[in-house]
Structure formats: structure tokens, C-alpha cells
Amino acid sequence: MTVDIGRDPVTNKRKQKELSGFKTKREAEKAAAALITEIEEGTFVQEKNVTFKEFVNTWIETYSSTVKVSTLRVRKHESGRLMKYFEHKKMKDITKKMYQDALNDLQNPEGKKKGLSYNTISGVHSTGRMIFSKAVELDIIKNDPTQYAKLPRAQKTVEEIEQEEEVPKYLEKEQLAKFLNTAKRKGLGQDYVIFLILAYSGMRAGELCALRWSDLDEDEHTISITKTYYNPSNRTREYQLLTPKTKTSKRKIDMDPFVFEELKQHRKKQKEIMMKYRSTYHDKGFVIAKTDALNAGYPEFIKTIENRMRRLLKLAGLNEKLTPHSLRHTHTSLLAEAGVGLTEIMERLGHKDDDTTRHVYMHVTKTMKKEASQKFAELMRSL
């Protein structure tokens, strides 16, 4: 059965749609009537013969002009996970069941012991929704197959549940003091000032690598966080400075004058390096800059900071699984122990909302409340 669907706006020729595959004449007439109703109401969409791969490539090209390069990299990676299911399929042929089956397979892949985590699949689904939503908007497809998709959840073991409840690892104040003392005595190059800043500010490693001397106010003893370091290839000269992770990440941190005294000493040493390599020094004002002849002045790698921390933790006899990010958790715990409120802590860390920070805070304050109760009971027993 053939139905007129209007005229081509360019050639003015009549366009028709062929309806086929029906078991009875009544089914065909019913489908034709529904199609005619859509045409009359202006809701008809002539779906295009575009493959998933073709559309994603076009979408990525458009999307790239609206987001940071780091976000684009994530979207490319996540859309790539859907490619193995839909790469050569036409967008209009991808059904709700096919899309749900893809999500389910990511969580429980055939022939493999373990699939992707819930958070990773959630990210893939977010990208999938963006892709198909845009396809609907552009009249490539009529219906969005992601609309009613459910994220699969694996049945967790008792051990996994217990691990989830575990408080993120951080250093107690005595351990932090030991770590910083080890960095001062046995640290390589700039280790001490790196970890002193991270410990006393709670900033991210990427924010530290992007820090410039112009971000420091020596009179007010504050550090302004306005950017973050991005270098996925770990090629010294291919770094980028991006806007902060979130809107709340842009902030000003009050620092102890003691840290600024150490920074003054650090700057003197840095100026000596600048003089030594003055003809090749990458003079962009980075606080934590490389010191070797070939790359002097370029911002330090985040990976280098991670490796240096592991070395110092081992020398100090502390948990070697801790990372620079663990110092943010440490900062949270010590602020909570000092009586600083959760809202103030989140502002200092540049968080609008964060379950991990809240988890650490609640763990520390719960212990403090228990101690307060014990002290009261001891007081009453002494009467």
C-alpha cells in the first residue's frame, strides 16, 4: 500500500511512502490511516537511513564546539562502548529492547567474568540518551529507544556491601604530620611544598598543577582556584588549562601564613632554576614547575605527584594505596575534627554536593559525638 506524504520542497515532486509487511488488508489500512493522521497533524517524521556510526560522528563534531575538551573525550569514550552493538545499524532500526539489551550486556557481558561498574554504565547511558534525543530533535528518528531504559544493577555480595560502607581512606593527624615530615626530610625536589599545599588546602592535584604565582595573594594569605590542568597524553608540552571541574570549584582558599613562608623559599629556588635555563625556561608562572633542562618551567605531571606520594608513604611506613586525592579526604576529616561545619568544608573544597565528603564528615563527627557522650558519663560518675 502506498500513501502520499507531501511534496519535496526542492523538486516539488510528490513523495510517497510504501507500507508493507502486513498479514491482512485490514492491518495495512489501519497503518495507512494512522500515517495519514500523522501527516495531517504535522507529527509525521520521515526517518532517515543514517547508521549509528554516521550519526555519532556528526553529533560529536557539533557537540565538540559546546564543551571542554575533557568532557568531549569522555563522550567519545562512552559512545565508543555503544559502537560494538550499533555501529552499522540504522538509527531508525534500533529498538528499545536492543538498547536495553546493550546496557544489560555491559553489566553482564557474555563470556566474561565481570562487566562494567554501575557508574560507568550510567555514564554510557547518559551519552546514549544525548545521542538519540538529538536524533529525534533532528527528525532522524521518530522514537527514542533510550526513553524507558533501566540501568542494570548487579546482585551484590555481603563483602561488596561491607566495602561500600567503608569510609574512604585518609590520614589521621599524627599520620599526616609523619608524612609531611618524611616529605621534608626525604622528599625529592619539590615534594615537600607540593604535599604541604595539598594537605593544607584540600585542593585537587590538577588544580595544583595549574596554579600560577598570580593566583596567590601574599598579603591576604589566600589562593585562588580558577583552572585545572589537563594532559591525558602526558606529553609535557601538550598540556591545557581548563575551567574548573564545576562552577563551585572556582573559589578562594584561606591559607596558614606558614604555608606562604614555605612558598617564598620555594620561589627563591625556582628563580635560580629560571636563571640557569633562562633562554629555554617556559616562563608562564607555574608554582609547581618541572626543573629539568629540557622541560624547565612546564607544569608538573599529576602522575609524577602520584608516584612521589607512593614513594613517601612507603618510606613513612604508611598506607601506600593512598593517593593525592586522599589528602582531600584527610583535609575534610581534620576540618571536621576542628569543628568546621560541612557547608564550610564543601565551600573550601569546591563541592556543591559530594557524598564522599559527607561520608568522611559524618564518620568523624559521629566519633566526636560519641566521645562527648562518654565524657559526660565520666563526669557524672565522678560526682
Side-chain angles (χ1 to χ4, degrees):
M1 183 175 287
T2 304
V3 178
D4 285 330
I5 59 173
R7 290 185 177 277
D8 189 295
V10 178
T11 64
N12 200 37
K13 289 182 179 179
R14 189 174 63 177
K15 296 191 324 185
Q16 295 181 318
K17 183 175 177 62
E18 187 75 30
L19 298 177
S20 60
F22 301 102
K23 292 180 180 179
T24 64
K25 183 180 179 182
R26 181 171 174 75
E27 284 182 2
E29 289 173 342
K30 193 174 179 181
L35 178 58
I36 291 168
T37 300
E38 286 183 6
I39 294 168
E40 290 174 347
E41 292 179 350
T43 59
F44 172 71
V45 172
Q46 177 68 56
E47 295 185 307
K48 312 295 191 300
N49 288 318
V50 179
T51 66
F52 181 79
K53 182 179 181 179
E54 289 169 339
F55 183 76
V56 168
N57 288 340
T58 302
W59 174 73
I60 286 288
E61 191 175 329
T62 305
Y63 184 70
S64 65
S65 64
T66 64
V67 295
K68 294 190 294 185
V69 64
S70 54
T71 304
L72 180 65
R73 184 168 177 258
V74 170
R75 296 301 177 200
K76 282 182 177 179
H77 183 68
E78 290 172 339
S79 62
R81 292 191 183 278
L82 293 171
M83 281 292 176
K84 73 173 184 175
Y85 302 102
F86 308 128
E87 183 173 3
H88 301 298
K89 292 189 181 297
K90 292 176 182 177
M91 291 288 287
K92 66 180 184 180
D93 294 336
I94 300 171
T95 64
K96 290 182 176 70
K97 184 179 185 305
M98 289 165 65
Y99 184 78
Q100 184 66 62
D101 286 346
L103 293 183
N104 292 345
D105 188 66
L106 287 172
Q107 189 266 316
N108 188 22
E110 189 176 344
K112 293 184 179 180
K113 289 183 178 180
K114 192 174 182 182
L116 302 178
S117 69
Y118 178 85
N119 287 340
T120 302
I121 297 173
S122 178
V124 172
H125 180 43
S126 294
T127 299
R129 288 172 62 187
M130 292 174 72
I131 292 168
F132 286 100
S133 175
K134 179 57 72 172
V136 171
E137 182 186 325
L138 297 176
D139 289 341
I140 301 297
I141 56 176
K142 183 177 179 180
N143 298 306
D144 181 355
T146 71
Q147 191 173 7
Y148 299 107
K150 301 290 184 186
L151 287 176
R153 280 187 179 274
Q155 190 66 37
K156 292 175 182 169
T157 64
V158 172
E159 289 78 13
E160 287 173 330
I161 292 172
E162 287 176 345
Q163 286 175 2
E164 277 185 356
E165 293 301 315
E166 193 175 317
V167 177
K169 295 288 190 296
Y170 57 85
L171 295 167
E172 300 292 347
K173 58 187 175 187
E174 294 81 7
Q175 293 175 321
L176 178 60
K178 185 178 183 181
F179 172 74
L180 291 176
N181 186 43
T182 302
K184 189 170 187 177
R185 292 186 299 107
K186 300 179 180 180
L188 305 173
Q190 311 169 90
D191 283 4
Y192 180 58
V193 75
I194 286 172
F195 295 113
L196 186 69
I197 296 171
L198 290 176
Y200 274 68
S201 69
M203 72 173 69
R204 300 175 178 91
E207 293 170 339
L208 175 66
C209 292
L211 200 64
R212 286 178 164 144
W213 289 108
S214 57
D215 299 320
L216 277 59
D217 187 326
E218 292 185 31
D219 296 326
E220 296 296 325
H221 296 128
T222 61
I223 295 178
S224 295
I225 306 297
T226 59
K227 53 199 168 294
T228 190
Y229 174 82
Y230 180 71
N231 191 350
S233 64
N234 274 336
R235 291 175 182 161
T236 299
R237 304 186 180 204
E238 295 180 11
Y239 74 89
Q240 289 178 266
L241 299 182
L242 304 181
T243 52
K245 188 177 180 182
T246 63
K247 287 182 179 179
T248 51
S249 293
K250 185 179 178 180
R251 62 204 187 277
K252 188 175 285 189
I253 304 173
D254 288 300
M255 297 292 289
D256 191 291
F258 157 69
V259 177
F260 271 82
E261 287 302 316
E262 290 297 330
L263 279 164
K264 281 182 184 178
Q265 298 304 313
H266 171 64
R267 194 167 195 179
K268 286 180 182 177
K269 293 176 184 176
Q270 191 179 81
K271 284 181 177 178
E272 290 174 7
I273 299 292
M274 291 173 70
M275 288 300 294
K276 185 177 181 180
Y277 305 117
R278 53 182 170 275
S279 61
T280 58
Y281 194 88
H282 184 67
D283 192 8
K284 297 294 181 181
F286 289 107
V287 175
I288 305 301
K290 291 179 178 290
T291 59
D292 61 285
L294 187 62
N295 301 304
Y298 283 90
E300 188 57 90
F301 289 144
I302 293 174
K303 189 68 179 175
T304 298
I305 294 175
E306 291 172 350
N307 292 339
R308 293 287 182 83
M309 183 167 179
R310 194 177 303 113
R311 172 184 175 272
L312 291 170
L313 287 167
K314 185 176 183 178
L315 289 173
L318 297 169
N319 185 356
E320 293 174 46
K321 292 182 179 179
L322 293 174
T323 67
H325 202 77
S326 303
L327 293 176
R328 276 170 72 77
H329 301 157
T330 300
H331 198 67
T332 298
S333 70
L334 296 182
L335 287 174
E337 194 174 325
V340 180
L342 180 59
T343 302
E344 289 76 18
I345 292 174
M346 285 193 165
E347 285 178 1
R348 187 171 174 86
L349 295 181
H351 281 154
K352 183 177 181 181
D353 193 19
D354 183 78
D355 288 337
T356 305
T357 300
R358 185 177 287 103
H359 199 178
V360 173
Y361 178 84
M362 296 303 290
H363 174 74
V364 175
T365 53
K366 183 179 179 181
T367 303
M368 290 165 63
K369 287 173 183 175
K370 190 175 289 186
E371 288 175 356
S373 175
Q374 290 171 347
K375 286 177 182 178
F376 179 80
E378 288 171 5
L379 176 66
M380 294 306 293
R381 280 195 292 270
S382 67
L383 295 176

